[in-house]
Amino acid sequence: MKPAVLFTFVSLCLISISNSVVSLSTLELKHLMKKIIPSLEGTVKGDLGKIGVLGGSIEYTGAPYFTAISAFKVGADLVYVVTTDNTAQVIKVYSPDLIVYPYFNKSHGFKINSLLPKMDVVVIGPGLGREEETLQLIYNIIEDCKKLQKPLVIDADGLYAVTKNVSILKDYSSPGVILTPNLREAKYLMASTTNDSNWYKYWGDHVSVLIKGREDKYYSIVENVNWGSSEGGSNRRAGGQGDILSGALGTFYKWAIMANLNDKENPVHLAKSIAAFAAAQFTRECNAKAFEKHGRSMLSSDMIQEMHSAFDQIFL
C-alpha cells in the first residue's frame, strides 16, 4: 500500500467545515473497500447481515423502500422494515423480499424494542416525518440502540430529530453512529451543536459524519481516516438517492465491522470510514450508470436497476 497522502478539503458551499486534514488517499480507500466484501462461500442466511430500517409515514412510502431494497441488493441476507401501518401495506406491495412490521407508533414501542436485538445495523430516518410523537419514538429507539451498542446510521428525518435533541447521541459507545446529511441538513446540525468548523466532534469519539454533495466528505474525531471524494455520479439529483446511500451504508457498515481491518490503533474508526466510502462510491456509480441511460428523466428507481453492474465494476 502506498504511503498516506495528505490533502486539505475545500470549504463546503453552505457550511464552514474547512481546514480538516486527511491522510487516506483515494487509492488506499479503494483498496480497503474491496477488502470488506465478504465471500459467499460457506455462508448461511444471516451471516452477511441483518439490517433494520426504521422509517416511512403516510406522506413518504418510497423512502424506506429505497433504503431497505438497497441494503438487500448490496448483499445483506435479511432486511427488516419497521414502519407505520399504512406504509407497511404499500411496502409489502413494492417487494415481497422485505420483512415489514407495522409497528411504528407509540403503542408498539415495546415491539420495536424486541426487534432491535436481531438487527446487526439499524438505519433510522428515511421518510419518518416530523410529528412530535414520531420524534419521541425516535429518541426512545436511539436510547435502546445505545444500550444494545448497535451500529447506527441516521439519515433524513432522523437527522431533524437529532437537531431538536442534540445530546441524544452523546456518549454513544463503539462501534457508533454515522450521520449522513446533505449540505442543508449539515448546516442545521452545525447550528444546533457548536456552530463552528469542528461541530462534528461535538458528540465525541463514536459519532462520525458523511456529508453528501457534489463532493462527498467524511469527518470523524480521528483525522487520519477522513476523506473527500467527487468521483462518478452526475448532476441529476432525483429524490431517493440519499435513501439508497443510507441503505447501502447499512450493509457496508456490517461488512466493515466483520472484516477486522488491520488498524491496531483505530479499527472501528477505520471500518466506519471505509463503509462510508464504499457506500458513497457505490451510490455515485449507480447514479452515473442510470444517468447514462436515462439522462434528465433518470429516477432513483433506475439507479436500483444498475446495482448489480455497479457493484461488479467497483468491488470485483
Side-chain angles (χ1 to χ4, degrees), residues 14-34:
L14 290 180
I15 56 178
S16 173
I17 300 186
S18 57
N19 303 319
S20 290
V21 177
V22 301
S23 58
L24 281 175
S25 71
T26 299
L27 287 177
E28 288 172 327
L29 288 162
K30 289 182 176 181
H31 171 76
L32 288 169
M33 76 177 185
K34 291 182 179 181

Side-chain angles (χ1 to χ4, degrees), residues 67-83:
T67 299
I69 204 67
S70 299
F72 216 168
K73 281 185 168 287
V74 165
D77 290 335
L78 294 166
V79 179
Y80 309 100
V81 182
V82 180
T83 188

Side-chain angles (χ1 to χ4, degrees), residues 120 143-152 172-176:
D120 295 320
E143 290 290 357
D144 289 337
C145 288
K146 186 185 294 186
K147 293 173 184 175
L148 293 167
Q149 297 184 317
K150 286 293 175 184
L152 193 59
Y172 205 102
S173 58
S174 180

Side-chain angles (χ1 to χ4, degrees), residues 9-298:
F9 288 131
V10 297
S11 298
L12 293 173
C13 62
L14 290 180
I15 56 178
S16 173
I17 300 186
S18 57
N19 303 319
S20 290
V21 177
V22 301
S23 58
L24 281 175
S25 71
T26 299
L27 287 177
E28 288 172 327
L29 288 162
K30 289 182 176 181
H31 171 76
L32 288 169
M33 76 177 185
K34 291 182 179 181
K35 291 177 69 69
I36 72 171
I37 307 302
S39 170
L40 295 175
E41 186 175 352
T43 62
V44 297
K45 184 172 65 178
D47 286 354
L48 301 189
K50 302 182 290 293
I51 310 302
V53 176
L54 283 68
S57 61
I58 193 168
E59 297 97 337
Y60 304 111
T61 59
Y65 166 75
F66 282 136
T67 299
I69 204 67
S70 299
F72 216 168
K73 281 185 168 287
V74 165
D77 290 335
L78 294 166
V79 179
Y80 309 100
V81 182
V82 180
T83 188
T84 63
D85 183 55
N86 289 335
T87 308
Q89 303 308 313
V90 177
I91 294 176
K92 287 179 180 180
V93 173
Y94 288 160
S95 174
D97 301 291
L98 304 172
I99 303 168
V100 185
Y101 297 97
Y103 292 164
F104 205 89
N105 60 68
K106 64 180 181 181
S107 64
H108 289 308
F110 70 98
K111 291 184 178 180
I112 299 174
N113 181 270
S114 69
L115 291 172
L116 292 175
K118 67 171 66 177
M119 302 172 183
D120 295 320
V121 178
V122 179
V123 184
I124 297 177
L128 275 176
R130 301 180 178 185
E131 299 294 330
E132 186 60 37
E133 180 179 316
T134 298
L135 296 181
Q136 189 54 58
L137 193 51
I138 292 172
Y139 300 142
N140 293 341
I141 292 167
I142 290 175
E143 290 290 357
D144 289 337
C145 288
K146 186 185 294 186
K147 293 173 184 175
L148 293 167
Q149 297 184 317
K150 286 293 175 184
L152 193 59
V153 175
I154 303 181
D155 188 38
D157 289 327
L159 298 170
Y160 174 81
V162 172
T163 66
K164 296 301 179 182
N165 184 6
V166 291
S167 65
I168 191 72
L169 298 180
K170 279 280 192 179
D171 303 318
Y172 205 102
S173 58
S174 180
V177 184
I178 305 175
L179 306 179
T180 58
N182 57 32
L183 290 171
R184 185 177 296 105
E185 291 164 336
K187 178 182 178 182
Y188 295 142
L189 284 166
M190 183 183 74
S192 66
T193 54
T194 62
N195 206 32
D196 63 34
S197 61
N198 290 317
W199 65 268
Y200 58 92
K201 297 180 180 180
Y202 169 83
W203 296 283
D205 288 354
H206 297 298
V207 177
S208 54
V209 182
L210 170 60
I211 301 178
K212 303 170 293 190
R214 193 169 299 278
E215 180 181 12
D216 295 326
K217 300 185 180 185
Y218 181 84
Y219 296 95
S220 73
I221 204 166
V222 180
E223 299 289 341
N224 69 326
V225 301
N226 294 348
W227 51 264
S229 177
S230 57
E231 286 188 5
S234 74
N235 290 325
R236 174 65 169 143
R237 297 290 183 268
Q241 293 179 197
D243 304 312
I244 289 172
L245 184 145
S246 66
L249 177 54
T251 299
F252 287 127
Y253 194 178
K254 162 63 178 175
W255 290 353
I257 293 171
M258 288 171 54
N260 293 318
L261 294 170
N262 186 23
D263 186 325
K264 294 180 180 180
E265 292 185 3
N266 303 303
V268 172
H269 292 287
L270 180 60
K272 289 164 66 179
S273 174
I274 299 306
F277 184 76
Q281 292 291 104
F282 175 74
T283 304
R284 284 177 173 273
E285 186 62 32
C286 290
N287 179 282
K289 287 180 175 294
F291 185 78
E292 184 178 0
K293 291 183 179 179
H294 301 281
R296 288 176 178 267
S297 67
M298 187 204 84

